[in-house]
Amino acid sequence: MEQQGRRERKKAAVRTHISDIATALFLEHGFDEVSVSQIAEAADVARPTVFAHFPRKEDLLFDRYPETEAMFVAAVRDRPATTSAIRAISDLLVELAEAGHPAAAMRPRFASFWRLVAGSRALQARARELAEMLEDAVAAAMAATNVDQPRLTAALTAAAYRTVHLESIRQILAGDTPTDHVARIRATLALVDELPSSATRHAKLP
């Protein structure tokens, strides 16, 4: 087990190293202008090693997705019996935003990241795919904890947060600081949680 743990830590360290190098190159030169071969050379690894950790070039920038999905699924599955799935997600988003986590924080220092995404159709397309994957994972977690109409509930939750997320990105790209980001997370998701629909009832946990 200890040896397996060391292997996993080493693998994670290599993955982080490759992603950090790639992100720096993307920010300096642009996503489309940097090749995987250039990333491998800069990271001092073989090209197949890059693809072993990141099957798609876009995932070198969106390297936090697996961690993000795991956090959202855990928030839904492990929530207290008196907490709705939507409230659990809202609480997680607020926690991440206040901690400055890239998955939910909206701060001026992330402006270069969002400009990079805005300037690449490939990155925008992958961002949409990952958002759909996250919605599917959340819907599955909701179904596993007996939320009524889990797919609809997950879709409504995702759509509500997307409005907050995109507005904050617009503010950042305009040079402003979205000081009301956390408040809008709470207010917007609370509206969805209060909808008079069976899709937003509290789950009856076992």
Side-chain angles (χ1 to χ4, degrees), residues 126-198:
R126 185 55 175 161
R128 287 191 292 270
E129 290 175 353
L130 292 175
E132 291 173 359
M133 289 169 57
L134 181 58
E135 183 180 316
D136 287 344
V138 168
M142 288 180 174
T145 53
N146 304 320
V147 174
D148 288 334
Q149 301 187 48
R151 285 206 150 273
L152 178 56
T153 305
L156 290 171
T157 306
Y161 179 63
R162 192 175 300 118
T163 63
V164 176
H165 182 73
L166 293 178
E167 176 57 28
S168 292
I169 290 175
R170 291 188 191 100
Q171 292 179 32
I172 289 175
L173 295 181
D176 300 323
T177 300
T179 56
D180 61 342
H181 182 68
V182 168
R184 286 188 291 113
I185 290 174
R186 288 196 177 104
T188 304
L189 268 66
L191 285 174
V192 177
D193 207 10
E194 293 167 3
L195 287 175
S197 166
S198 60

Side-chain angles (χ1 to χ4, degrees), residues 20-34:
D20 288 347
I21 293 294
T23 299
L25 289 172
F26 293 153
L27 291 172
E28 182 178 358
H29 303 290
F31 178 78
D32 297 325
E33 285 69 33
V34 177

